[in-house]
Amino acid sequence: MATLKSRVRRLGPVAAAGFGLAAGALVTLAAQRHTLKALHTRLERIEQMASTQQHANLAHQQRLHWELLSKAIDSPELAEVLDIFEVPASPQKRRQYLFANALYTNLLFYYRIGNLTREEFYGRVRGLLQNPVVREYWYATQGQRATLPDDSDEADLGRMVDDLLHRLEEADIDEWWVVGEPPSE
Protein backbone atom coordinates (compact mmCIF):
# COMPACT_ATOMS: atom_id res chain seq x y z
CA MET A 1 0.00 0.00 0.00
CA ALA A 2 2.85 2.32 0.78
CA THR A 3 4.32 1.64 -2.67
CA LEU A 4 1.02 2.48 -4.27
CA LYS A 5 0.86 5.77 -2.36
CA SER A 6 4.38 6.65 -3.35
CA ARG A 7 3.63 5.90 -7.01
CA VAL A 8 0.52 8.05 -6.88
CA ARG A 9 2.57 10.84 -5.29
CA ARG A 10 5.13 10.60 -8.07
CA LEU A 11 2.41 10.62 -10.75
CA GLY A 12 0.73 13.65 -9.26
CA PRO A 13 3.34 16.16 -10.45
CA VAL A 14 3.60 14.40 -13.81
CA ALA A 15 -0.17 14.52 -14.25
CA ALA A 16 -0.24 18.17 -13.19
CA ALA A 17 2.50 18.96 -15.69
CA GLY A 18 0.56 17.08 -18.39
CA PHE A 19 -2.62 18.98 -17.59
CA GLY A 20 -0.65 22.22 -17.60
CA LEU A 21 0.81 21.46 -21.02
CA ALA A 22 -2.61 20.54 -22.39
CA ALA A 23 -4.18 23.69 -20.97
CA GLY A 24 -1.34 25.78 -22.38
CA ALA A 25 -1.77 24.18 -25.82
CA LEU A 26 -5.52 24.87 -25.75
CA VAL A 27 -4.97 28.51 -24.76
CA THR A 28 -2.37 28.88 -27.53
CA LEU A 29 -4.73 27.33 -30.10
CA ALA A 30 -7.56 29.62 -29.00
CA ALA A 31 -5.29 32.66 -29.28
CA GLN A 32 -4.10 31.58 -32.73
CA ARG A 33 -7.68 30.99 -33.83
CA HIS A 34 -8.63 34.47 -32.61
CA THR A 35 -5.63 35.99 -34.41
CA LEU A 36 -6.47 34.16 -37.64
CA LYS A 37 -10.08 35.29 -37.45
CA ALA A 38 -8.98 38.90 -36.91
CA LEU A 39 -6.56 38.65 -39.86
CA HIS A 40 -9.29 37.17 -42.06
CA THR A 41 -11.68 39.99 -41.15
CA ARG A 42 -8.96 42.54 -41.83
CA LEU A 43 -8.16 40.96 -45.20
CA GLU A 44 -11.84 41.04 -46.20
CA ARG A 45 -11.98 44.75 -45.33
CA ILE A 46 -8.85 45.45 -47.37
CA GLU A 47 -10.27 43.54 -50.36
CA GLN A 48 -13.52 45.51 -50.10
CA MET A 49 -11.59 48.77 -49.98
CA ALA A 50 -9.56 47.72 -53.04
CA SER A 51 -12.74 46.87 -54.93
CA THR A 52 -14.28 50.21 -53.97
CA GLN A 53 -11.10 52.00 -55.04
CA GLN A 54 -11.08 50.14 -58.36
CA HIS A 55 -14.69 51.21 -59.01
CA ALA A 56 -13.81 54.79 -58.10
CA ASN A 57 -10.84 54.66 -60.49
CA LEU A 58 -13.03 53.30 -63.29
CA ALA A 59 -15.63 56.00 -62.68
CA HIS A 60 -12.93 58.66 -62.75
CA GLN A 61 -11.49 57.21 -65.95
CA GLN A 62 -14.93 57.19 -67.56
CA ARG A 63 -15.43 60.82 -66.60
CA LEU A 64 -12.07 61.76 -68.14
CA HIS A 65 -12.89 59.75 -71.27
CA TRP A 66 -16.18 61.58 -71.66
CA GLU A 67 -14.55 64.98 -71.13
CA LEU A 68 -11.96 64.25 -73.83
CA LEU A 69 -14.58 62.95 -76.26
CA SER A 70 -16.82 65.94 -75.56
CA LYS A 71 -14.00 68.32 -76.45
CA ALA A 72 -13.32 66.39 -79.66
CA ILE A 73 -17.02 66.27 -80.57
CA ASP A 74 -17.29 70.04 -80.05
CA SER A 75 -14.10 70.89 -81.94
CA PRO A 76 -13.38 69.58 -85.45
CA GLU A 77 -9.71 70.44 -84.95
CA LEU A 78 -9.47 68.22 -81.85
CA ALA A 79 -11.56 65.49 -83.46
CA GLU A 80 -8.89 65.16 -86.15
CA VAL A 81 -6.51 63.90 -83.46
CA LEU A 82 -8.87 61.01 -82.76
CA ASP A 83 -9.44 60.18 -86.43
CA ILE A 84 -7.91 56.72 -86.33
CA PHE A 85 -10.72 55.02 -88.16
CA GLU A 86 -10.12 52.51 -90.93
CA VAL A 87 -12.00 54.60 -93.48
CA PRO A 88 -11.83 58.35 -94.07
CA ALA A 89 -14.56 60.15 -92.18
CA SER A 90 -16.06 63.58 -92.76
CA PRO A 91 -16.11 65.91 -89.75
CA GLN A 92 -19.79 65.09 -89.19
CA LYS A 93 -19.19 61.33 -89.44
CA ARG A 94 -16.16 61.63 -87.13
CA ARG A 95 -18.32 63.34 -84.50
CA GLN A 96 -20.91 60.59 -84.84
CA TYR A 97 -18.23 57.92 -84.45
CA LEU A 98 -16.87 59.63 -81.36
CA PHE A 99 -20.34 59.70 -79.84
CA ALA A 100 -20.84 56.01 -80.74
CA ASN A 101 -17.53 55.34 -78.98
CA ALA A 102 -18.81 57.17 -75.90
CA LEU A 103 -22.00 55.10 -75.88
CA TYR A 104 -20.14 51.81 -76.25
CA THR A 105 -17.50 52.76 -73.67
CA ASN A 106 -20.23 53.71 -71.22
CA LEU A 107 -21.74 50.23 -71.55
CA LEU A 108 -18.29 48.69 -71.17
CA PHE A 109 -17.65 50.59 -67.92
CA TYR A 110 -21.11 49.72 -66.59
CA TYR A 111 -20.30 46.08 -67.20
CA ARG A 112 -16.86 46.34 -65.59
CA ILE A 113 -18.16 47.85 -62.37
CA GLY A 114 -20.96 45.32 -62.13
CA ASN A 115 -23.93 47.53 -63.00
CA LEU A 116 -24.72 45.30 -65.99
CA THR A 117 -24.58 41.55 -66.32
CA ARG A 118 -23.07 40.08 -69.47
CA GLU A 119 -26.58 39.30 -70.68
CA GLU A 120 -27.73 42.89 -70.07
CA PHE A 121 -24.64 44.21 -71.85
CA TYR A 122 -25.51 41.97 -74.82
CA GLY A 123 -29.07 43.26 -74.89
CA ARG A 124 -28.03 46.90 -74.76
CA VAL A 125 -25.44 46.43 -77.51
CA ARG A 126 -28.01 44.60 -79.63
CA GLY A 127 -30.19 47.71 -79.38
CA LEU A 128 -27.26 50.05 -80.13
CA LEU A 129 -26.40 48.07 -83.26
CA GLN A 130 -29.78 48.94 -84.75
CA ASN A 131 -28.31 52.32 -85.61
CA PRO A 132 -26.46 52.30 -88.96
CA VAL A 133 -23.91 54.86 -87.73
CA VAL A 134 -23.03 52.64 -84.76
CA ARG A 135 -22.56 49.72 -87.16
CA GLU A 136 -20.30 51.83 -89.38
CA TYR A 137 -18.35 52.91 -86.31
CA TRP A 138 -17.93 49.29 -85.26
CA TYR A 139 -16.48 48.34 -88.63
CA ALA A 140 -14.32 51.46 -88.74
CA THR A 141 -12.68 50.52 -85.42
CA GLN A 142 -11.97 46.85 -86.16
CA GLY A 143 -8.23 47.46 -86.35
CA GLN A 144 -8.18 49.11 -82.94
CA ARG A 145 -9.93 46.14 -81.32
CA ALA A 146 -7.52 43.75 -83.03
CA THR A 147 -4.69 45.25 -80.95
CA LEU A 148 -6.34 44.35 -77.63
CA PRO A 149 -4.86 41.45 -75.65
CA ASP A 150 -6.89 38.32 -76.47
CA ASP A 151 -7.53 37.51 -72.82
CA SER A 152 -8.87 40.96 -71.86
CA ASP A 153 -12.50 41.69 -70.98
CA GLU A 154 -12.68 44.29 -73.71
CA ALA A 155 -11.41 41.91 -76.40
CA ASP A 156 -13.82 39.21 -75.27
CA LEU A 157 -16.78 41.60 -75.34
CA GLY A 158 -15.62 42.94 -78.71
CA ARG A 159 -15.65 39.41 -80.18
CA MET A 160 -19.12 38.93 -78.72
CA VAL A 161 -20.30 42.15 -80.40
CA ASP A 162 -18.65 41.11 -83.68
CA ASP A 163 -20.56 37.83 -83.58
CA LEU A 164 -23.81 39.59 -82.70
CA LEU A 165 -23.39 42.09 -85.56
CA HIS A 166 -22.73 39.22 -87.96
CA ARG A 167 -25.91 37.45 -86.76
CA LEU A 168 -27.96 40.65 -87.03
CA GLU A 169 -26.82 41.21 -90.60
CA GLU A 170 -27.63 37.62 -91.57
CA ALA A 171 -31.01 37.58 -89.82
CA ASP A 172 -33.98 37.45 -92.09
CA ILE A 173 -36.45 38.86 -89.58
CA ASP A 174 -37.54 42.30 -88.45
CA GLU A 175 -37.56 41.27 -84.79
CA TRP A 176 -33.95 42.23 -84.03
CA TRP A 177 -34.44 41.78 -80.28
CA VAL A 178 -34.57 37.99 -80.68
CA VAL A 179 -31.45 37.69 -82.84
CA GLY A 180 -28.50 35.94 -81.17
CA GLU A 181 -28.31 33.98 -77.98
CA PRO A 182 -27.52 36.15 -74.95
CA PRO A 183 -24.47 34.78 -73.15
CA SER A 184 -24.84 33.17 -69.77
CA GLU A 185 -22.76 34.41 -66.87
Side-chain angles (χ1 to χ4, degrees):
M1 182 91 169
T3 0
L4 185 58
K5 283 185 178 180
S6 90
R7 280 188 189 159
V8 169
R9 277 188 221 149
R10 280 186 283 180
L11 287 178
V14 172
F19 285 131
L21 282 173
L26 287 175
V27 167
T28 301
L29 284 173
Q32 286 178 344
R33 186 172 180 87
H34 176 73
T35 302
L36 286 174
K37 187 176 180 182
L39 286 172
H40 181 70
T41 302
R42 194 181 220 175
L43 183 60
E44 284 178 344
R45 256 188 269 136
I46 290 170
E47 287 172 349
Q48 179 63 37
M49 287 170 44
S51 175
T52 301
Q53 183 61 48
Q54 182 182 16
H55 286 164
N57 291 345
L58 281 169
H60 181 69
Q61 180 61 39
Q62 184 180 12
R63 193 174 312 110
L64 288 173
H65 182 259
W66 174 246
E67 287 175 17
L68 290 170
L69 284 179
S70 292
K71 288 179 181 187
I73 289 170
D74 293 342
S75 167
E77 294 82 20
L78 294 178
E80 285 181 29
V81 175
L82 294 177
D83 190 352
I84 52 176
F85 307 110
E86 309 230 345
V87 293
S90 67
Q92 177 186 356
K93 185 64 70 176
R94 193 178 307 127
R95 290 176 70 197
Q96 291 172 331
Y97 285 178
L98 293 174
F99 190 74
N101 174 270
L103 292 174
Y104 177 74
T105 303
N106 188 52
L107 289 177
L108 182 64
F109 280 126
Y110 263 43
Y111 172 76
R112 283 183 172 161
I113 65 173
N115 285 354
L116 289 177
T117 64
R118 194 172 176 89
E119 186 176 346
E120 291 169 327
F121 177 87
Y122 187 87
R124 301 256 179 112
V125 168
R126 185 169 40 195
L128 252 178
L129 290 173
Q130 296 313 298
N131 186 297
V133 174
V134 172
R135 287 181 184 207
E136 288 175 33
Y137 157 77
W138 195 255
Y139 285 123
T141 55
Q142 258 177 321
Q144 294 173 41
R145 285 189 306 284
T147 65
L148 296 171
D150 284 340
D151 61 346
S152 70
D153 265 356
E154 193 170 350
D156 185 44
L157 292 172
R159 287 187 296 272
M160 183 179 75
V161 175
D162 288 339
D163 181 61
L164 173 59
L165 182 54
H166 179 71
R167 290 174 187 266
L168 285 167
E169 289 179 341
E170 286 185 343
D172 218 11
I173 59 174
D174 291 332
E175 298 167 337
W176 58 267
W177 54 91
V178 297
V179 173
E181 188 66 32
S184 58
E185 287 300 314

